[in-house]
Amino acid sequence: MKNTFSSELSQKVASMLESGEVQLVIGYEEGTKRPRPCFISDAADAGKLIFDERCTGNLTVYLTKKELIGDSKVVVTASYFALRSILRLLTENQVNLEKLVVLTVSAEGHLIQFETTDDIAAFIKSAPVPAREDDQVLMQKLEAMSREERWEFWSEELSKCFKCYACRAACPMCYCTKCVVEENRPQWIQPWASTLANIEWHINRAMHMTGRCSDCGACGSACPLGLPVHLLSKKITEEVETSFGMNLNDTLQGGNALSTFKPEDKETFIK
Amino acid sequence: MSEFEPKIVAFVCNWCTYAGADLTGTSRIKYASNVKIVRFPCTGRIDFMLLLKAFSEGADGIIVSGCHPNDCHYTSGNFHARRRWLIFRSLLNFLGIDVNRIQYSWVSAAEGAKWAEVVNTTVTKVRELGPYTEYRKAADYVEQQEREVFNG
């Protein structure tokens, strides 16, 4: 299944590892059924690397794992949504381009290496956004429901959750070393699974993602029950854009929707 | 009386709405006694989880109120709060939680009459909506769980 780009990628990575320019490569290799993440520190293994349209997971989640990265300079192969996450992590000073090489593939199938934050932002702006029809259909269905029907839907769905925290583990923006759900003085959210605690947990996570979510859908994909929890963040992302006019172009200004404000923000419900 | 009397929790800021409520009392203006006021330094300090906790602990309605924009005692706390409320309201609505039970307001220290109006209006509205049993149903399971865990 190797394409031209994969060969180009392997050669590039092998030379960077051999020269000692980088110490670790985070990319994809062939899995039993689909591509899976792989971590390469030996140039001889570079041939395993692939990167094609099936590589949809968000590898950015590993960039904030200090136990994995240590002090290494790292190469990451980034899909479109991963680039958005990297941009956000750069803005939040969680990654540093001096220690990071970002590679992706252009629409023409060529290898691209980004030098600056602006380069990444420009690429994101010009590249087409990968479509996800399933999400769009479910979103429209939910918007068409009455409030009571939505409550039925979400309390039913979220009551299935058993708090495995795969959504948190898969999310590149969930990098706090201690999560609010692990606090027990005060205990905001009951740690065991129950309908209310699940609702509170997912509301908490969605609120913490406000203006920071790259809409990669990793939290939904990671869910072993297939709960559509990524739609909560998606809804908030839409609201942020509608209400505050903030989108990825504004990400370079620093701050996110809830850590900044404009005096002229508009609303209609505060009487 | 047999008529349903809603329990209302009000999260208010110390400098404007709390002082305004105080003025309501000193002005001898009558208003519904359903509301229980929780005072915060600033509306920016009112965490969204507190609203969820109020509902799960049995509140039928919530009032959130503070200084008018540009009048915040801490300069910008209410600007941050306004954004948070907007996003939170949108998320709750998407989840099917009844946002009509949450009344947001700006009431200044000089607006004693307005505070009475906000409370009376909210109580009337929530009384019509009835008890918020569907959320409490989700919460009851937690209480049952707690009893099972802590009492063996």
mmCIF file of all heavy atoms in Angstrom, chain A residues 147 150-151 154 188 190 192 194 196 200 203-204 239 243 257 260-263 265 269 271, chain B residues 48-49 53 79 82-83 86 90 93-97 103-105 134-135 141-142 145-146:
data_model
loop_
_atom_site.group_PDB
_atom_site.id
_atom_site.type_symbol
_atom_site.label_atom_id
_atom_site.label_comp_id
_atom_site.label_asym_id
_atom_site.label_seq_id
_atom_site.Cartn_x
_atom_site.Cartn_y
_atom_site.Cartn_z
ATOM 1 N N ARG A 147 -36.517 19.856 22.808
ATOM 2 C CA ARG A 147 -35.636 19.793 23.971
ATOM 3 C C ARG A 147 -35.789 18.466 24.697
ATOM 4 O O ARG A 147 -34.798 17.833 25.079
ATOM 5 C CB ARG A 147 -35.970 20.942 24.934
ATOM 6 C CG ARG A 147 -35.139 20.917 26.194
ATOM 7 C CD ARG A 147 -35.678 21.843 27.256
ATOM 8 N NE ARG A 147 -36.828 21.313 27.978
ATOM 9 C CZ ARG A 147 -36.762 20.333 28.863
ATOM 10 N NH1 ARG A 147 -35.609 19.746 29.130
ATOM 11 N NH2 ARG A 147 -37.839 19.915 29.477
ATOM 12 N N ARG A 150 -34.079 15.685 22.919
ATOM 13 C CA ARG A 150 -32.623 15.747 23.065
ATOM 14 C C ARG A 150 -32.196 15.245 24.434
ATOM 15 O O ARG A 150 -31.173 14.572 24.573
ATOM 16 C CB ARG A 150 -32.127 17.186 22.864
ATOM 17 C CG ARG A 150 -31.841 17.533 21.401
ATOM 18 C CD ARG A 150 -30.886 18.691 21.307
ATOM 19 N NE ARG A 150 -31.443 19.909 21.874
ATOM 20 C CZ ARG A 150 -32.231 20.735 21.197
ATOM 21 N NH1 ARG A 150 -32.543 20.479 19.953
ATOM 22 N NH2 ARG A 150 -32.704 21.819 21.776
ATOM 23 N N TRP A 151 -32.966 15.582 25.453
ATOM 24 C CA TRP A 151 -32.637 15.110 26.796
ATOM 25 C C TRP A 151 -32.717 13.588 26.842
ATOM 26 O O TRP A 151 -31.849 12.920 27.413
ATOM 27 C CB TRP A 151 -33.570 15.730 27.834
ATOM 28 C CG TRP A 151 -33.413 15.130 29.189
ATOM 29 C CD1 TRP A 151 -34.251 14.240 29.799
ATOM 30 C CD2 TRP A 151 -32.339 15.344 30.115
ATOM 31 N NE1 TRP A 151 -33.768 13.895 31.040
ATOM 32 C CE2 TRP A 151 -32.600 14.554 31.258
ATOM 33 C CE3 TRP A 151 -31.187 16.125 30.079
ATOM 34 C CZ2 TRP A 151 -31.741 14.524 32.363
ATOM 35 C CZ3 TRP A 151 -30.333 16.097 31.182
ATOM 36 C CH2 TRP A 151 -30.615 15.307 32.301
ATOM 37 N N TRP A 154 -29.585 12.203 24.972
ATOM 38 C CA TRP A 154 -28.288 12.329 25.632
ATOM 39 C C TRP A 154 -28.242 11.612 26.972
ATOM 40 O O TRP A 154 -27.220 11.019 27.321
ATOM 41 C CB TRP A 154 -27.926 13.804 25.821
ATOM 42 C CG TRP A 154 -27.453 14.457 24.566
ATOM 43 C CD1 TRP A 154 -28.100 15.417 23.837
ATOM 44 C CD2 TRP A 154 -26.228 14.190 23.858
ATOM 45 N NE1 TRP A 154 -27.345 15.761 22.740
ATOM 46 C CE2 TRP A 154 -26.203 15.029 22.722
ATOM 47 C CE3 TRP A 154 -25.157 13.321 24.070
ATOM 48 C CZ2 TRP A 154 -25.147 15.023 21.803
ATOM 49 C CZ3 TRP A 154 -24.106 13.307 23.159
ATOM 50 C CH2 TRP A 154 -24.112 14.156 22.044
ATOM 51 N N TRP A 188 -15.950 17.590 42.649
ATOM 52 C CA TRP A 188 -16.884 18.194 41.707
ATOM 53 C C TRP A 188 -17.789 17.127 41.088
ATOM 54 O O TRP A 188 -18.981 17.306 40.934
ATOM 55 C CB TRP A 188 -16.123 18.855 40.570
ATOM 56 C CG TRP A 188 -15.952 20.333 40.583
ATOM 57 C CD1 TRP A 188 -14.877 21.016 40.095
ATOM 58 C CD2 TRP A 188 -16.862 21.345 41.034
ATOM 59 N NE1 TRP A 188 -15.070 22.358 40.213
ATOM 60 C CE2 TRP A 188 -16.267 22.601 40.793
ATOM 61 C CE3 TRP A 188 -18.126 21.307 41.633
ATOM 62 C CZ2 TRP A 188 -16.884 23.806 41.115
ATOM 63 C CZ3 TRP A 188 -18.739 22.518 41.963
ATOM 64 C CH2 TRP A 188 -18.111 23.739 41.698
ATOM 65 N N GLN A 190 -18.644 12.881 40.734
ATOM 66 C CA GLN A 190 -18.460 11.534 41.278
ATOM 67 C C GLN A 190 -17.597 10.712 40.325
ATOM 68 O O GLN A 190 -17.826 10.714 39.127
ATOM 69 C CB GLN A 190 -19.806 10.830 41.459
ATOM 70 C CG GLN A 190 -20.878 11.630 42.161
ATOM 71 C CD GLN A 190 -20.533 11.991 43.594
ATOM 72 O OE1 GLN A 190 -19.480 11.625 44.100
ATOM 73 N NE2 GLN A 190 -21.418 12.715 44.241
ATOM 74 N N TRP A 192 -17.306 7.463 39.944
ATOM 75 C CA TRP A 192 -17.879 6.263 39.337
ATOM 76 C C TRP A 192 -18.953 6.641 38.326
ATOM 77 O O TRP A 192 -19.464 7.753 38.311
ATOM 78 C CB TRP A 192 -18.464 5.341 40.406
ATOM 79 C CG TRP A 192 -19.377 6.035 41.356
ATOM 80 C CD1 TRP A 192 -20.689 6.345 41.172
ATOM 81 C CD2 TRP A 192 -19.029 6.530 42.646
ATOM 82 N NE1 TRP A 192 -21.186 7.011 42.258
ATOM 83 C CE2 TRP A 192 -20.194 7.137 43.187
ATOM 84 C CE3 TRP A 192 -17.858 6.518 43.406
ATOM 85 C CZ2 TRP A 192 -20.211 7.726 44.439
ATOM 86 C CZ3 TRP A 192 -17.885 7.115 44.656
ATOM 87 C CH2 TRP A 192 -19.040 7.709 45.170
ATOM 88 N N SER A 194 -22.391 6.990 36.579
ATOM 89 C CA SER A 194 -23.823 7.079 36.821
ATOM 90 C C SER A 194 -24.331 8.159 35.881
ATOM 91 O O SER A 194 -23.542 8.958 35.383
ATOM 92 C CB SER A 194 -24.119 7.463 38.269
ATOM 93 O OG SER A 194 -23.647 8.762 38.531
ATOM 94 N N LEU A 196 -25.933 10.995 36.131
ATOM 95 C CA LEU A 196 -25.623 12.397 36.426
ATOM 96 C C LEU A 196 -24.127 12.669 36.347
ATOM 97 O O LEU A 196 -23.693 13.662 35.772
ATOM 98 C CB LEU A 196 -26.128 12.778 37.815
ATOM 99 C CG LEU A 196 -25.859 14.242 38.156
ATOM 100 C CD1 LEU A 196 -26.776 15.152 37.354
ATOM 101 C CD2 LEU A 196 -26.018 14.505 39.635
ATOM 102 N N GLU A 200 -22.236 15.301 33.928
ATOM 103 C CA GLU A 200 -21.374 16.353 34.469
ATOM 104 C C GLU A 200 -19.963 16.249 33.893
ATOM 105 O O GLU A 200 -19.335 17.258 33.567
ATOM 106 C CB GLU A 200 -21.337 16.272 35.993
ATOM 107 C CG GLU A 200 -22.635 16.720 36.643
ATOM 108 C CD GLU A 200 -22.622 16.577 38.153
ATOM 109 O OE1 GLU A 200 -21.706 15.907 38.684
ATOM 110 O OE2 GLU A 200 -23.525 17.123 38.806
ATOM 111 N N ILE A 203 -20.002 17.448 30.243
ATOM 112 C CA ILE A 203 -20.187 18.899 30.189
ATOM 113 C C ILE A 203 -18.888 19.595 30.574
ATOM 114 O O ILE A 203 -18.451 20.551 29.932
ATOM 115 C CB ILE A 203 -21.334 19.338 31.126
ATOM 116 C CG1 ILE A 203 -22.687 18.944 30.519
ATOM 117 C CG2 ILE A 203 -21.291 20.845 31.372
ATOM 118 C CD1 ILE A 203 -23.870 19.257 31.403
ATOM 119 N N ASN A 204 -18.249 19.091 31.623
ATOM 120 C CA ASN A 204 -16.986 19.665 32.071
ATOM 121 C C ASN A 204 -15.941 19.628 30.978
ATOM 122 O O ASN A 204 -15.266 20.621 30.693
ATOM 123 C CB ASN A 204 -16.483 18.877 33.276
ATOM 124 C CG ASN A 204 -16.154 19.775 34.439
ATOM 125 O OD1 ASN A 204 -15.074 20.342 34.509
ATOM 126 N ND2 ASN A 204 -17.103 19.918 35.335
ATOM 127 N N GLU A 239 -20.692 27.390 18.077
ATOM 128 C CA GLU A 239 -21.222 28.517 18.841
ATOM 129 C C GLU A 239 -20.168 29.609 19.007
ATOM 130 O O GLU A 239 -20.473 30.796 18.907
ATOM 131 C CB GLU A 239 -21.695 28.022 20.208
ATOM 132 C CG GLU A 239 -22.431 29.061 21.027
ATOM 133 C CD GLU A 239 -23.758 29.471 20.405
ATOM 134 O OE1 GLU A 239 -24.446 28.594 19.858
ATOM 135 O OE2 GLU A 239 -24.089 30.665 20.451
ATOM 136 N N SER A 243 -20.950 33.246 17.690
ATOM 137 C CA SER A 243 -21.163 34.311 18.675
ATOM 138 C C SER A 243 -19.986 35.261 18.806
ATOM 139 O O SER A 243 -20.179 36.442 19.064
ATOM 140 C CB SER A 243 -21.462 33.702 20.039
ATOM 141 O OG SER A 243 -22.610 32.907 19.968
ATOM 142 N N ALA A 257 -11.555 31.342 23.539
ATOM 143 C CA ALA A 257 -12.818 32.071 23.640
ATOM 144 C C ALA A 257 -13.155 32.473 25.064
ATOM 145 O O ALA A 257 -13.739 33.533 25.291
ATOM 146 C CB ALA A 257 -13.939 31.225 23.049
ATOM 147 N N THR A 260 -10.536 35.263 26.966
ATOM 148 C CA THR A 260 -10.534 36.631 26.450
ATOM 149 C C THR A 260 -11.983 37.084 26.319
ATOM 150 O O THR A 260 -12.907 36.304 26.539
ATOM 151 C CB THR A 260 -9.866 36.708 25.066
ATOM 152 O OG1 THR A 260 -10.575 35.840 24.181
ATOM 153 C CG2 THR A 260 -8.415 36.287 25.125
ATOM 154 N N PHE A 261 -12.175 38.325 25.979
ATOM 155 C CA PHE A 261 -13.527 38.830 25.752
ATOM 156 C C PHE A 261 -13.441 40.083 24.897
ATOM 157 O O PHE A 261 -12.363 40.647 24.705
ATOM 158 C CB PHE A 261 -14.222 39.158 27.078
ATOM 159 C CG PHE A 261 -13.584 40.304 27.811
ATOM 160 C CD1 PHE A 261 -13.952 41.620 27.545
ATOM 161 C CD2 PHE A 261 -12.595 40.083 28.751
ATOM 162 C CE1 PHE A 261 -13.355 42.682 28.203
ATOM 163 C CE2 PHE A 261 -11.988 41.136 29.419
ATOM 164 C CZ PHE A 261 -12.360 42.433 29.148
ATOM 165 N N LYS A 262 -14.564 40.485 24.387
ATOM 166 C CA LYS A 262 -14.686 41.800 23.751
ATOM 167 C C LYS A 262 -15.850 42.516 24.411
ATOM 168 O O LYS A 262 -16.908 41.922 24.609
ATOM 169 C CB LYS A 262 -14.961 41.656 22.256
ATOM 170 C CG LYS A 262 -13.779 41.151 21.448
ATOM 171 C CD LYS A 262 -14.174 40.899 20.005
ATOM 172 C CE LYS A 262 -13.023 40.309 19.211
ATOM 173 N NZ LYS A 262 -13.474 39.786 17.905
ATOM 174 N N PRO A 263 -15.682 43.785 24.752
ATOM 175 C CA PRO A 263 -16.794 44.513 25.375
ATOM 176 C C PRO A 263 -18.055 44.496 24.525
ATOM 177 O O PRO A 263 -19.161 44.565 25.047
ATOM 178 C CB PRO A 263 -16.247 45.935 25.523
ATOM 179 C CG PRO A 263 -14.775 45.765 25.549
ATOM 180 C CD PRO A 263 -14.477 44.613 24.650
ATOM 181 N N ASP A 265 -19.252 41.998 22.813
ATOM 182 C CA ASP A 265 -19.908 40.691 22.669
ATOM 183 C C ASP A 265 -21.419 40.855 22.787
ATOM 184 O O ASP A 265 -21.901 41.576 23.656
ATOM 185 C CB ASP A 265 -19.445 39.732 23.772
ATOM 186 C CG ASP A 265 -18.054 39.187 23.530
ATOM 187 O OD1 ASP A 265 -17.640 39.100 22.357
ATOM 188 O OD2 ASP A 265 -17.374 38.850 24.514
ATOM 189 N N PHE A 269 -30.047 36.877 25.947
ATOM 190 C CA PHE A 269 -30.782 36.196 27.007
ATOM 191 C C PHE A 269 -30.567 36.798 28.391
ATOM 192 O O PHE A 269 -31.215 36.386 29.347
ATOM 193 C CB PHE A 269 -30.404 34.710 27.036
ATOM 194 C CG PHE A 269 -28.936 34.482 27.271
ATOM 195 C CD1 PHE A 269 -28.441 34.333 28.547
ATOM 196 C CD2 PHE A 269 -28.042 34.423 26.202
ATOM 197 C CE1 PHE A 269 -27.093 34.140 28.778
ATOM 198 C CE2 PHE A 269 -26.690 34.228 26.418
ATOM 199 C CZ PHE A 269 -26.213 34.083 27.705
ATOM 200 N N LYS A 271 -31.327 39.446 30.870
ATOM 201 C CA LYS A 271 -32.375 40.470 30.970
ATOM 202 C C LYS A 271 -32.074 41.445 32.105
ATOM 203 O O LYS A 271 -31.658 41.018 33.165
ATOM 204 C CB LYS A 271 -33.731 39.824 31.220
ATOM 205 C CG LYS A 271 -34.091 38.757 30.210
ATOM 206 C CD LYS A 271 -34.257 39.325 28.825
ATOM 207 C CE LYS A 271 -34.674 38.233 27.842
ATOM 208 N NZ LYS A 271 -34.449 38.632 26.465
ATOM 209 N N PHE B 48 -19.526 27.132 36.120
ATOM 210 C CA PHE B 48 -20.709 26.519 35.508
ATOM 211 C C PHE B 48 -21.154 25.268 36.256
ATOM 212 O O PHE B 48 -22.328 24.902 36.242
ATOM 213 C CB PHE B 48 -20.450 26.204 34.030
ATOM 214 C CG PHE B 48 -19.278 25.293 33.792
ATOM 215 C CD1 PHE B 48 -19.441 23.925 33.830
ATOM 216 C CD2 PHE B 48 -18.017 25.804 33.536
ATOM 217 C CE1 PHE B 48 -18.370 23.067 33.622
ATOM 218 C CE2 PHE B 48 -16.941 24.962 33.319
ATOM 219 C CZ PHE B 48 -17.122 23.599 33.367
ATOM 220 N N MET B 49 -20.206 24.591 36.933
ATOM 221 C CA MET B 49 -20.584 23.385 37.668
ATOM 222 C C MET B 49 -21.547 23.694 38.812
ATOM 223 O O MET B 49 -22.332 22.843 39.226
ATOM 224 C CB MET B 49 -19.343 22.685 38.219
ATOM 225 C CG MET B 49 -18.617 21.804 37.224
ATOM 226 S SD MET B 49 -19.623 20.407 36.650
ATOM 227 C CE MET B 49 -19.843 19.503 38.170
ATOM 228 N N LYS B 53 -24.814 21.642 39.972
ATOM 229 C CA LYS B 53 -24.986 21.149 41.336
ATOM 230 C C LYS B 53 -26.307 21.629 41.933
ATOM 231 O O LYS B 53 -26.969 20.902 42.671
ATOM 232 C CB LYS B 53 -23.819 21.602 42.222
ATOM 233 C CG LYS B 53 -22.500 20.925 41.904
ATOM 234 C CD LYS B 53 -22.610 19.417 41.994
ATOM 235 C CE LYS B 53 -21.304 18.733 41.656
ATOM 236 N NZ LYS B 53 -21.439 17.273 41.593
ATOM 237 N N PHE B 79 -17.516 40.437 31.878
ATOM 238 C CA PHE B 79 -17.313 40.169 30.454
ATOM 239 C C PHE B 79 -16.965 38.699 30.238
ATOM 240 O O PHE B 79 -17.458 38.061 29.316
ATOM 241 C CB PHE B 79 -16.188 41.036 29.893
ATOM 242 C CG PHE B 79 -16.552 42.476 29.716
ATOM 243 C CD1 PHE B 79 -15.774 43.480 30.268
ATOM 244 C CD2 PHE B 79 -17.664 42.843 28.982
ATOM 245 C CE1 PHE B 79 -16.101 44.816 30.094
ATOM 246 C CE2 PHE B 79 -18.007 44.181 28.811
ATOM 247 C CZ PHE B 79 -17.217 45.167 29.370
ATOM 248 N N ARG B 82 -20.071 36.621 30.863
ATOM 249 C CA ARG B 82 -21.037 36.678 29.766
ATOM 250 C C ARG B 82 -20.701 35.657 28.688
ATOM 251 O O ARG B 82 -21.581 34.962 28.176
ATOM 252 C CB ARG B 82 -21.055 38.094 29.189
ATOM 253 C CG ARG B 82 -22.024 38.280 28.047
ATOM 254 C CD ARG B 82 -22.184 39.738 27.696
ATOM 255 N NE ARG B 82 -20.945 40.344 27.199
ATOM 256 C CZ ARG B 82 -20.858 41.615 26.804
ATOM 257 N NH1 ARG B 82 -21.910 42.398 26.866
ATOM 258 N NH2 ARG B 82 -19.716 42.103 26.361
ATOM 259 N N ARG B 83 -19.428 35.562 28.342
ATOM 260 C CA ARG B 83 -19.029 34.573 27.331
ATOM 261 C C ARG B 83 -19.281 33.154 27.823
ATOM 262 O O ARG B 83 -19.768 32.297 27.095
ATOM 263 C CB ARG B 83 -17.546 34.742 26.998
ATOM 264 C CG ARG B 83 -17.295 35.893 26.043
ATOM 265 C CD ARG B 83 -15.984 35.726 25.325
ATOM 266 N NE ARG B 83 -15.912 36.642 24.197
ATOM 267 C CZ ARG B 83 -14.979 36.578 23.258
ATOM 268 N NH1 ARG B 83 -14.049 35.650 23.324
ATOM 269 N NH2 ARG B 83 -14.974 37.431 22.269
ATOM 270 N N LEU B 86 -22.933 32.258 27.740
ATOM 271 C CA LEU B 86 -23.424 32.061 26.384
ATOM 272 C C LEU B 86 -23.091 30.648 25.904
ATOM 273 O O LEU B 86 -23.950 29.925 25.391
ATOM 274 C CB LEU B 86 -22.808 33.112 25.459
ATOM 275 C CG LEU B 86 -23.499 33.317 24.121
ATOM 276 C CD1 LEU B 86 -23.240 34.715 23.601
ATOM 277 C CD2 LEU B 86 -23.058 32.293 23.102
ATOM 278 N N SER B 90 -25.704 27.367 25.435
ATOM 279 C CA SER B 90 -25.787 26.667 24.157
ATOM 280 C C SER B 90 -25.559 25.166 24.335
ATOM 281 O O SER B 90 -26.253 24.338 23.735
ATOM 282 C CB SER B 90 -24.744 27.257 23.205
ATOM 283 O OG SER B 90 -24.646 26.499 22.045
ATOM 284 N N ASN B 93 -28.562 23.526 26.167
ATOM 285 C CA ASN B 93 -29.689 23.391 25.254
ATOM 286 C C ASN B 93 -29.480 22.214 24.306
ATOM 287 O O ASN B 93 -30.406 21.464 24.000
ATOM 288 C CB ASN B 93 -29.869 24.688 24.462
ATOM 289 C CG ASN B 93 -31.146 24.667 23.649
ATOM 290 O OD1 ASN B 93 -32.211 24.356 24.167
ATOM 291 N ND2 ASN B 93 -31.041 24.990 22.367
ATOM 292 N N PHE B 94 -28.248 22.056 23.857
ATOM 293 C CA PHE B 94 -27.913 20.948 22.951
ATOM 294 C C PHE B 94 -28.101 19.596 23.642
ATOM 295 O O PHE B 94 -28.449 18.599 23.016
ATOM 296 C CB PHE B 94 -26.470 21.112 22.469
ATOM 297 C CG PHE B 94 -26.065 20.140 21.402
ATOM 298 C CD1 PHE B 94 -26.704 20.119 20.175
ATOM 299 C CD2 PHE B 94 -25.037 19.244 21.622
ATOM 300 C CE1 PHE B 94 -26.327 19.224 19.180
ATOM 301 C CE2 PHE B 94 -24.651 18.345 20.638
ATOM 302 C CZ PHE B 94 -25.298 18.332 19.417
ATOM 303 N N LEU B 95 -27.867 19.574 24.954
ATOM 304 C CA LEU B 95 -28.025 18.337 25.714
ATOM 305 C C LEU B 95 -29.475 18.099 26.138
ATOM 306 O O LEU B 95 -29.800 17.044 26.667
ATOM 307 C CB LEU B 95 -27.146 18.371 26.967
ATOM 308 C CG LEU B 95 -25.665 18.100 26.753
ATOM 309 C CD1 LEU B 95 -24.854 18.565 27.945
ATOM 310 C CD2 LEU B 95 -25.426 16.618 26.509
ATOM 311 N N GLY B 96 -30.326 19.097 25.938
ATOM 312 C CA GLY B 96 -31.722 18.928 26.318
ATOM 313 C C GLY B 96 -32.017 19.327 27.749
ATOM 314 O O GLY B 96 -33.090 19.031 28.270
ATOM 315 N N ILE B 97 -31.061 19.992 28.406
ATOM 316 C CA ILE B 97 -31.332 20.526 29.741
ATOM 317 C C ILE B 97 -32.116 21.819 29.565
ATOM 318 O O ILE B 97 -31.861 22.587 28.646
ATOM 319 C CB ILE B 97 -30.008 20.743 30.501
ATOM 320 C CG1 ILE B 97 -29.364 19.370 30.775
ATOM 321 C CG2 ILE B 97 -30.216 21.496 31.802
ATOM 322 C CD1 ILE B 97 -27.939 19.438 31.267
ATOM 323 N N GLN B 103 -32.293 31.971 34.727
ATOM 324 C CA GLN B 103 -32.493 33.372 34.389
ATOM 325 C C GLN B 103 -31.202 34.146 34.620
ATOM 326 O O GLN B 103 -30.675 34.170 35.733
ATOM 327 C CB GLN B 103 -33.600 33.967 35.268
ATOM 328 C CG GLN B 103 -33.854 35.436 35.011
ATOM 329 C CD GLN B 103 -34.400 35.681 33.616
ATOM 330 O OE1 GLN B 103 -35.337 35.024 33.189
ATOM 331 N NE2 GLN B 103 -33.808 36.624 32.909
ATOM 332 N N TYR B 104 -30.690 34.737 33.563
ATOM 333 C CA TYR B 104 -29.488 35.552 33.674
ATOM 334 C C TYR B 104 -29.880 37.024 33.719
ATOM 335 O O TYR B 104 -30.820 37.444 33.046
ATOM 336 C CB TYR B 104 -28.554 35.314 32.484
ATOM 337 C CG TYR B 104 -28.075 33.893 32.362
ATOM 338 C CD1 TYR B 104 -28.783 32.968 31.597
ATOM 339 C CD2 TYR B 104 -26.918 33.470 33.002
ATOM 340 C CE1 TYR B 104 -28.350 31.664 31.471
ATOM 341 C CE2 TYR B 104 -26.476 32.157 32.882
ATOM 342 C CZ TYR B 104 -27.193 31.265 32.118
ATOM 343 O OH TYR B 104 -26.764 29.972 31.996
ATOM 344 N N SER B 105 -29.151 37.791 34.498
ATOM 345 C CA SER B 105 -29.542 39.185 34.651
ATOM 346 C C SER B 105 -28.355 40.041 35.069
ATOM 347 O O SER B 105 -27.364 39.543 35.588
ATOM 348 C CB SER B 105 -30.643 39.278 35.711
ATOM 349 O OG SER B 105 -31.147 40.583 35.775
ATOM 350 N N GLU B 134 -36.999 15.640 35.835
ATOM 351 C CA GLU B 134 -36.204 14.785 34.950
ATOM 352 C C GLU B 134 -34.718 14.870 35.280
ATOM 353 O O GLU B 134 -34.004 13.876 35.213
ATOM 354 C CB GLU B 134 -36.463 15.127 33.484
ATOM 355 C CG GLU B 134 -36.071 16.527 33.092
ATOM 356 C CD GLU B 134 -36.399 16.833 31.636
ATOM 357 O OE1 GLU B 134 -37.234 16.135 31.038
ATOM 358 O OE2 GLU B 134 -35.811 17.793 31.107
ATOM 359 N N TYR B 135 -34.255 16.061 35.684
ATOM 360 C CA TYR B 135 -32.844 16.166 36.054
ATOM 361 C C TYR B 135 -32.608 15.483 37.390
ATOM 362 O O TYR B 135 -31.611 14.794 37.594
ATOM 363 C CB TYR B 135 -32.411 17.635 36.127
ATOM 364 C CG TYR B 135 -30.910 17.799 36.069
ATOM 365 C CD1 TYR B 135 -30.250 17.923 34.849
ATOM 366 C CD2 TYR B 135 -30.144 17.811 37.230
ATOM 367 C CE1 TYR B 135 -28.876 18.058 34.790
ATOM 368 C CE2 TYR B 135 -28.769 17.941 37.175
ATOM 369 C CZ TYR B 135 -28.140 18.060 35.957
ATOM 370 O OH TYR B 135 -26.784 18.190 35.901
ATOM 371 N N TYR B 141 -30.007 8.654 41.116
ATOM 372 C CA TYR B 141 -29.185 7.465 40.962
ATOM 373 C C TYR B 141 -27.848 7.654 41.666
ATOM 374 O O TYR B 141 -27.309 6.745 42.263
ATOM 375 C CB TYR B 141 -28.986 7.162 39.484
ATOM 376 C CG TYR B 141 -28.274 5.862 39.239
ATOM 377 C CD1 TYR B 141 -28.881 4.649 39.532
ATOM 378 C CD2 TYR B 141 -26.984 5.852 38.714
ATOM 379 C CE1 TYR B 141 -28.221 3.453 39.310
ATOM 380 C CE2 TYR B 141 -26.325 4.664 38.488
ATOM 381 C CZ TYR B 141 -26.946 3.468 38.793
ATOM 382 O OH TYR B 141 -26.293 2.297 38.569
ATOM 383 N N VAL B 142 -27.321 8.891 41.610
ATOM 384 C CA VAL B 142 -26.051 9.187 42.277
ATOM 385 C C VAL B 142 -26.204 9.021 43.778
ATOM 386 O O VAL B 142 -25.376 8.425 44.447
ATOM 387 C CB VAL B 142 -25.582 10.616 41.945
ATOM 388 C CG1 VAL B 142 -24.476 11.056 42.891
ATOM 389 C CG2 VAL B 142 -25.089 10.679 40.518
ATOM 390 N N GLN B 145 -26.367 5.517 44.644
ATOM 391 C CA GLN B 145 -25.026 4.948 44.503
ATOM 392 C C GLN B 145 -24.169 5.295 45.711
ATOM 393 O O GLN B 145 -23.443 4.467 46.241
ATOM 394 C CB GLN B 145 -24.389 5.500 43.227
ATOM 395 C CG GLN B 145 -23.187 4.737 42.743
ATOM 396 C CD GLN B 145 -23.583 3.541 41.891
ATOM 397 O OE1 GLN B 145 -24.753 3.250 41.736
ATOM 398 N NE2 GLN B 145 -22.593 2.856 41.347
ATOM 399 N N GLU B 146 -24.285 6.544 46.152
ATOM 400 C CA GLU B 146 -23.490 6.977 47.296
ATOM 401 C C GLU B 146 -23.867 6.179 48.532
ATOM 402 O O GLU B 146 -23.019 5.768 49.314
ATOM 403 C CB GLU B 146 -23.707 8.474 47.549
ATOM 404 C CG GLU B 146 -22.847 9.363 46.674
ATOM 405 C CD GLU B 146 -23.119 10.836 46.921
ATOM 406 O OE1 GLU B 146 -24.221 11.171 47.403
ATOM 407 O OE2 GLU B 146 -22.233 11.652 46.622
#
